[in-house]
Amino acid sequence: MIPESHPRYRSLIIRERLAASTKTGVVSLEGLTAHGRGEAFDYLLGEKTTESALRAEKIAAALLLVARHPVISVNGNTAALVAKEIAELQVISKARVEVNLFHRTDERVKVISNLLKDQGITLVEGDVSRYIPLDHDRGLCHFDGMYSADVILVPLEDGDRAQALIAMGKKVIAIDLNPLSRTSKVATVPIIDEVTRAIPNITHFCKELCSEEIQELTQTINGSEFIKDALEYIRERLLDVLD
Ligand code: ATP
């Protein structure tokens, strides 16, 4: 039992949830190590949403709202951490939700799909094909889901697929704590923030943005600004520690 008074309570609860989710097959063991890399960057970022990440979240909300066919791609870690929050985002953004896994088995797709549906999420289901040109199973997707999407939100993505989606002409919103990852570098909007903070923020902006703001936010997007901001933020924090 983790006491609420623990200074790193939130982080420990997330770890506990992910570890428990390996037992149900929702999270893979590899997913735990991916989370560890994310945690290390979150530590460097002070475990809070920076002003720059908040702006990226606002732009992400605007992009989802103007999209013709928005899709949210969900993997095991995302399902374990933010199923309820994705259900809320789906309602407000009208995005389709699709399961997409690197370590894909029919059984795992079923377990994750059930968890998402239990939270009220409507899923794109049925046959998948290798519409995304990749040698691994993240290339499998639905025709009326990701294949037809113009804007895709990809929390905790791998760089190959983010790159392939961009090459297919899609706008990619990534949530990845690592500002140096290939995903962050290629994404249209890299959100350098923890997924449990980022998704509720995007939902909040979807509720409050007016059409003029949406227009203004989606006119010119410069993803590399968010990477520069995150690296600068980390650099300043490290200098402060030494002072
Ligand atoms: P790339 O291929 O983009 O260079 P990668 O090989 O590190 O990156 P993955 O192994 O798929 O990609 O890892 C996913 C990334 O998700 C991790 O690097 C980590 O930074 C990020 N991540 C993990 N957990 C979280 C989380 N809870 N919130 C936000 N980001 C996370």
Side-chain angles (χ1 to χ4, degrees):
M1 182 75 180
I2 302 162
E4 276 186 49
S5 57
H6 193 289
R8 308 206 53 259
Y9 175 76
R10 218 179 115 76
S11 168
L12 294 179
I13 287 289
I14 290 178
R15 268 190 202 177
E16 199 173 62
R17 200 182 313 165
L18 285 173
S21 301
T22 60
K23 292 180 185 127
T24 55
V26 168
V27 171
S28 65
L29 290 179
E30 292 81 356
L32 292 184
T33 60
H35 182 75
R37 171 143 59 202
E39 267 194 352
F41 280 101
D42 207 18
Y43 208 94
L44 292 171
L45 287 160
E47 295 176 310
K48 56 174 198 264
T49 304
T50 63
E51 249 177 64
S52 169
L54 198 63
R55 176 158 170 84
E57 285 152 4
K58 203 174 196 179
I59 294 173
L63 268 183
L64 288 172
L65 293 174
V66 291
R68 169 184 51 79
H69 186 128
V71 169
I72 304 171
S73 172
V74 177
N75 70 358
N77 284 34
T78 305
L81 292 177
V82 282
K84 183 170 144 279
E85 290 77 2
I86 289 203
E88 286 161 13
L89 180 56
Q90 179 175 46
V91 170
I92 192 82
S93 69
K94 314 267 186 301
R96 297 181 189 209
V97 177
E98 175 168 349
V99 174
N100 181 276
L101 306 175
F102 188 86
H103 301 282
R104 185 183 183 105
T105 61
D106 289 346
E107 187 50 33
R108 236 184 124 217
V109 171
K110 198 167 141 200
V111 171
I112 293 171
S113 299
N114 287 342
L115 181 143
L116 296 173
K117 287 193 269 191
D118 285 350
Q119 291 298 329
I121 291 172
T122 306
L123 284 177
V124 182
E125 290 184 286
D127 292 340
V128 287
S129 284
R130 200 167 295 277
Y131 290 117
I132 307 169
L134 291 172
D135 291 336
H136 52 77
D137 281 352
R138 289 204 105 177
L140 298 173
C141 71
H142 296 93
F143 181 84
D144 53 346
M146 246 175 285
Y147 177 74
S148 306
D150 55 344
V151 174
I152 307 186
L153 171 62
V154 288
L156 328 186
E157 182 59 42
D158 65 63
D160 284 10
R161 197 171 70 115
Q163 179 90 67
L165 292 172
I166 292 280
M168 289 168 79
K170 300 175 191 309
K171 292 199 168 87
V172 172
I173 303 162
I175 301 175
D176 186 339
L177 279 159
N178 180 0
L180 301 171
S181 74
R182 289 172 304 153
T183 305
S184 295
K185 284 189 197 148
V186 299
T188 316
V189 185
I191 298 175
I192 300 161
D193 198 7
E194 211 278 321
V195 72
T196 65
R197 298 193 300 264
I199 299 282
N201 285 342
I202 298 172
T203 303
H204 164 79
F205 286 125
C206 281
K207 285 180 191 159
E208 75 162 26
L209 284 178
C210 68
S211 51
E212 277 147 39
E213 281 176 300
I214 293 172
Q215 194 84 36
E216 185 258 318
L217 288 164
T218 51
Q219 237 151 37
T220 38
I221 301 172
N222 180 1
S224 61
E225 289 297 316
F226 300 111
I227 297 174
K228 285 191 202 138
D229 289 348
L231 293 173
E232 181 56 22
Y233 190 86
I234 290 173
R235 192 184 73 87
E236 280 174 20
R237 282 199 81 231
L238 291 177
L239 286 175
D240 274 355
V241 171
L242 292 176
D243 286 347

